Amino acid sequence: MAARRSPRFLKPLLLLTSTAAVAGSIIYISYRPRNLPGSDLADSYGVGGVNKPPRFPAVKSRDRQIEELKRSAGVGSGVQKASRWNAVEWLFGGGNNGGQAMTAGDAQEEPYDLLIIGGGATGSGIALDAVTRGLRVALVERDDFSSGTSSKSTKLVHGGVRYLEKAVWDLDYNQYKLVKEALRERKYFLDTAPHLSMWLPIMLPIYQWRKAPYYWLGTKCYDLLAGAENIESSYFLTRSKALDAFPMLKKNGLVGALVYYDGAHNDSRMNVSLAVTAALYGATVVNHLEVTGLEKDASGKLCGAHVKDLVVEKNGGKAREFGIINATGPFTDSIRKMDNPNVREIVAPSSGVHVILPGYYSPASMGLIDPSTSDGRVIFFLPWQGNTIAGTTDAPTEITAHPLASEKEIDWILAEIRRYLTLDINVRRGDVLAAWSGIRPLVRDPKAKNTESLVRNHLVDVSESGLLTIAGGKWTTYRQMAEEGIDEAIRQFRLKPGPMKDAPRVSGTEAVDEGANLDGSCQTHRVKLIGAHGYSKTLFIRLIQHFGVETDVAQHLVDSYGDRAWAVAALSSPTDLRFPVRGIRLSALYPFVDGEVRYAVRHEYAQTAADVLARRTRLAFLNAQAALEALPKVIDIMGDELGWDNKRKELEWRETVPFLASMGLPKSKLNASRKDVESGKTATYEADEYKLYSRHG
């Protein structure tokens, strides 16, 4: 009898045990201990409570890198200081290193394996991938690193909850793979550059109870898909908790909110760090060097690339017998037409406009997504650098170097913001501190039967003459794109990667051996970028105690430069005050200081004021008028560093002010002279601007 009864008790017991195991696993996965990037103590550079700044390896100067290009061409050593219009010819070398291990200190007198055209996220990522595989690589960029689309993103590092929704409803496996890949790459961002990237909670407000289960299931699927790469799990907030976390939210009809986590980053500083890290490992990276033409040999294969130095306005020569990679984003077709004037265009440019609003429009550490705008698009509303960023639009556009954000697109974003912010907040056009348009290079596969259909992710294409083009994709997947690009280059150009010996001590300490894993395979998911090694969330305190900089300045320097904040603070001028001791602000409104300008010139290849204002600091993106007011100070510091005469300074002013127009500088300020700015005349207001605030009692 007992034997018959035992199965009746066994089944419920097994069911209970299984349920408990599943529930326990879910609880453990949700609340397991996690090692957040930056939570560890920074490398110790001193004992006994004494802060001893580290000694970092120096990056090669731009002049030295051009000299290496010329030596490879057989032009001879020394950068020629000819007149402005003197044409200087040189020839990049070709071939490969024959599988021999290379060292970071090798003189680049032998031919290069690869020439990369384009210094955006993809191009800089390719350079870092190639050089850490032991290949000799040169990168040239017509403007500046991250001067195009790579500096004008939404600042998110994400898989895309909307893409996951499409994958499920459309049963689209390719869309699923895209999200899965992006979620994996998101984790690599935080591992390799924890000072430039962070986890950001994003709120999804719910105004109808029937949508709550749908959104909850969607965010949980997003968590599940991330797997071990996830850091924080999504969660539900009641109406009161949602309003407490995001008090600016519209109250009418709100029933609750879901919060999920994605990544955010400082895009242009990430891009510059990729290029500088590649240079530290031995790559030759040169900005403001334009490719003006390609040459082919008798067999029709590419054998040359004409270049022109836009800083000294010199014409250059050829590149021969190596692989050429086209990673120029929206300008992909212009390089492809140098190879074949009759080639079909593959880029379908799309304009994405963002606006910057004051920080009081959003909480300091909580973003918001509106999944159902008036026209069905998604709009993000995120805290960034002390301000609030809102966007983006998505509309066909023409390809230009500095696209302008139209008033129509700005008004559309502001109208959408009004729909989900409380009526207590008057969303005003005058509150827009900056506005810019980035061109997203959507691409068509030139070898597909339907040449009008767009590629979901990115493509790698090789022309008959050997031009390797990599295009499409997004910031989050730049590393994966670079890996696929180099894998294809190795096959197409018969390159022989090898281990890197004597890798530089990027960390500035002997405790970290960066070259331990550089065996010739792709290791960019492990290679920490410059500034990451000695970074910690408490490093800013040591900076304050050592240099006497203000708290918000110290926090900004650590978040923007990681452990290189030591070097930036050391280059900051004394204030002659009791406190702060160092750091003269470029703008009273933001924590950018004069040491950043010197560091940008000496260690990050900044050549123009726009390089500094837009892509080394982010002042132009945060507040266009504040950037105009800081421009005289930036030009003077750069002039001292680069030896500019008055004529060169005047040219810099004339070129930078129109650039600020693409950042949202009002038209009334475009004719301002340096004297106007320094005398305070640009502080006068137009009627609409004057009425924004109560100026009289």
Side-chain angles (χ1 to χ4, degrees):
M1 183 68 69
R4 292 180 180 179
R5 290 179 180 176
S6 59
R8 289 192 300 171
F9 293 102
L10 186 60
K11 290 180 180 179
L13 182 62
L14 288 174
L15 181 61
L16 181 63
T17 304
S18 301
T19 303
V22 171
S25 299
I26 293 174
I27 292 173
Y28 175 77
I29 291 172
S30 300
Y31 298 102
R32 71 189 185 279
R34 296 172 172 91
N35 183 24
L36 295 174
S39 59
D40 296 331
L41 292 176
D43 293 332
S44 177
Y45 297 109
V47 293
V50 177
N51 286 318
K52 183 181 179 182
R55 296 175 63 87
F56 297 116
V59 70
K60 294 177 290 186
S61 69
R62 183 176 184 275
D63 282 352
R64 182 182 168 191
Q65 300 216 50
I66 291 178
E67 182 178 354
E68 290 176 350
L69 291 175
K70 292 180 177 180
R71 283 209 310 269
S72 177
V75 172
S77 63
V79 178
Q80 302 184 36
K81 301 294 185 181
S83 63
R84 289 175 65 88
W85 298 101
N86 182 35
V88 178
E89 298 281 341
W90 72 83
L91 178 69
F92 298 152
N96 62 62
N97 62 6
Q100 300 299 314
M102 64 168 285
T103 66
D106 285 344
Q108 299 270 352
E109 295 180 356
E110 296 182 11
Y112 289 97
D113 295 312
L114 292 170
L115 170 66
I116 301 162
I117 306 172
T122 304
S124 299
I126 290 173
L128 180 60
D129 191 313
V131 73
T132 53
R133 296 201 207 189
L135 299 174
R136 294 187 179 277
V137 57
L139 179 150
V140 297
E141 161 60 42
R142 177 179 62 181
D143 196 334
D144 184 29
F145 308 117
S146 193
S147 59
T149 306
S150 296
S151 63
K152 298 175 179 178
S153 71
T154 309
K155 322 304 177 193
L156 284 177
V157 185
H158 63 136
V161 289
R162 190 66 179 270
Y163 296 138
L164 179 59
E165 182 184 36
K166 291 180 179 179
V168 172
W169 283 109
D170 298 341
L171 298 178
D172 190 334
Y173 181 67
N174 289 328
Q175 195 85 258
Y176 165 83
K177 286 199 304 181
L178 187 155
V179 177
K180 182 70 174 176
E181 174 187 294
L183 289 173
R184 182 187 68 246
E185 295 298 321
R186 182 184 68 176
K187 183 63 165 59
Y188 292 152
F189 258 82
L190 276 86
D191 290 341
T192 59
H195 56 301
L196 295 172
S197 52
M198 55 180 277
W199 287 100
L200 179 68
I202 300 177
M203 180 179 290
L204 183 61
I206 302 173
Y207 288 92
Q208 295 176 345
W209 273 116
R210 63 182 178 83
K211 291 186 178 181
Y214 178 76
Y215 287 154
W216 181 88
L217 182 61
T219 55
K220 287 303 177 185
C221 287
Y222 198 59
D223 294 342
L224 183 63
L225 194 58
E229 279 76 32
N230 203 27
I231 287 290
E232 295 288 349
S233 298
S234 58
Y235 56 91
F236 178 79
L237 288 177
T238 62
R239 181 180 188 275
S240 60
K241 290 291 185 181
L243 291 174
D244 184 54
F246 208 116
M248 306 83 176
L249 204 59
K250 183 177 69 175
K251 302 176 180 63
N252 296 340
L254 183 70
V255 298
L258 277 159
V259 177
Y260 72 95
Y261 284 80
D262 247 329
H265 74 138
N266 189 334
D267 52 8
S268 73
R269 285 221 51 82
M270 181 80 176
N271 197 155
V272 171
S273 296
L274 284 167
V276 173
T277 305
L280 282 171
Y281 277 100
T284 298
V285 296
V286 185
N287 55 349
H288 300 284
L289 192 68
E290 181 182 13
V291 172
T292 58
L294 302 176
E295 281 196 356
K296 299 178 183 178
D297 59 21
S299 65
K301 296 294 183 181
L302 288 175
C303 65
H306 293 271
V307 295
K308 181 173 69 173
D309 190 338
L310 299 180
V311 173
V312 296
E313 296 187 23
K314 295 177 182 178
N315 290 325
K318 306 172 185 176
R320 67 177 180 189
E321 295 179 0
F322 57 52
I324 299 179
I325 298 180
N326 174 18
T328 52
F331 304 97
T332 293
D333 286 325
S334 64
I335 301 298
R336 294 176 71 243
K337 288 187 175 181
M338 290 181 188
D339 175 36
N340 178 4
N342 299 317
V343 72
R344 182 191 296 268
E345 293 186 355
I346 63 172
V347 173
S350 175
S351 170
V353 171
H354 295 82
V355 301
I356 290 288
L357 297 164
Y360 56 72
Y361 269 83
S362 68
S365 57
M366 176 75 76
L368 186 143
I369 179 175
D370 181 1
S372 55
T373 60
S374 58
D375 61 0
R377 287 180 285 182
V378 171
I379 192 169
F380 287 96
F381 194 66
L382 311 168
W384 184 64
Q385 301 281 306
N387 284 354
T388 301
I389 183 173
T392 178
T393 61
D394 184 10
T397 187
E398 297 294 325
I399 297 176
T400 58
H402 301 298
L404 298 175
S406 70
E407 284 298 321
K408 181 180 179 181
E409 291 171 307
I410 294 173
D411 289 342
W412 180 84
I413 293 174
L414 296 180
E416 294 302 320
I417 292 172
R418 292 187 187 99
R419 293 177 62 239
Y420 54 78
L421 292 188
T422 177
L423 296 177
D424 295 342
I425 299 177
N426 182 17
V427 180
R428 307 177 297 183
R429 175 63 176 86
D431 285 338
V432 176
L433 303 175
W436 69 86
S437 174
I439 301 176
R440 185 184 178 194
L442 305 174
V443 292
R444 309 178 185 91
D445 187 347
K447 296 176 181 176
K449 292 182 179 179
N450 181 6
T451 57
E452 295 303 316
S453 60
L454 297 177
V455 174
R456 302 281 179 122
N457 192 357
H458 60 267
L459 68 82
V460 178
D461 177 67
V462 182
S463 71
E464 293 182 359
S465 61
L467 177 66
L468 193 156
T469 294
I470 182 162
K474 58 181 182 177
W475 237 119
T476 307
T477 57
Y478 87 89
R479 195 209 64 83
Q480 180 67 29
M481 292 172 65
E483 180 179 351
E484 292 180 18
I486 293 301
D487 287 345
E488 184 64 24
I490 290 171
R491 288 191 293 269
Q492 291 289 333
F493 308 132
R494 299 184 294 280
L495 304 178
K496 297 180 180 178
M500 172 175 278
K501 295 182 179 179
D502 302 325
R505 300 287 176 166
V506 179
S507 66
T509 172
E510 294 297 316
V512 182
D513 182 8
E514 277 86 5
N517 298 313
L518 302 182
D519 57 1
S521 63
C522 178
Q523 296 294 326
T524 48
H525 60 292
R526 295 183 180 181
V527 175
K528 290 184 179 295
L529 300 189
I530 182 173
H533 299 83
Y535 166 76
S536 79
K537 293 183 182 298
T538 57
L539 179 59
F540 76 96
I541 299 174
R542 296 169 64 186
L543 219 62
I544 296 170
Q545 293 176 339
H546 188 83
F547 291 105
V549 295
E550 294 175 272
T551 300
D552 63 332
V553 171
Q555 289 175 322
H556 153 68
L557 293 182
V558 170
D559 290 342
S560 298
Y561 301 90
D563 58 26
R564 263 44 177 195
W566 289 102
V568 180
L571 291 172
S572 300
S573 299
T575 63
D576 297 328
L577 301 173
R578 186 186 67 82
F579 193 86
V581 178
R582 283 179 181 266
I584 298 174
R585 293 183 184 240
L586 301 179
S587 168
L589 302 174
Y590 298 93
F592 306 114
V593 292
D594 61 327
E596 295 182 73
V597 184
R598 298 185 184 94
Y599 184 85
V601 173
R602 298 182 190 182
H603 304 287
E604 294 184 335
Y605 306 117
Q607 297 294 311
T608 69
D611 293 352
V612 171
L613 287 171
R615 296 172 287 273
R616 305 310 186 279
T617 71
R618 307 310 308 272
L619 185 55
F621 279 83
L622 291 169
N623 192 318
Q625 295 201 57
L628 177 67
E629 292 161 5
L631 183 54
K633 191 178 297 182
V634 170
I635 289 177
D636 285 344
I637 296 173
M638 294 189 73
D640 292 340
E641 292 290 320
L642 296 170
W644 290 347
D645 57 19
N646 289 334
K647 186 176 180 181
R648 179 68 177 80
K649 291 180 180 180
E650 291 172 4
L651 176 64
E652 199 63 31
W653 181 273
R654 293 196 303 271
E655 292 182 346
T656 306
V657 173
F659 166 78
L660 292 178
S662 69
M663 294 288 103
L665 185 69
K667 293 180 180 179
S668 61
K669 304 292 194 295
L670 295 181
N671 294 321
S673 66
R674 174 169 178 158
K675 185 177 180 180
D676 291 337
V677 172
E678 292 178 324
S679 65
K681 286 185 178 181
T682 53
T684 58
Y685 315 100
E686 297 179 2
D688 291 342
E689 188 177 6
Y690 189 85
K691 295 176 182 177
L692 282 175
Y693 308 101
S694 175
R695 301 179 183 275
H696 305 286

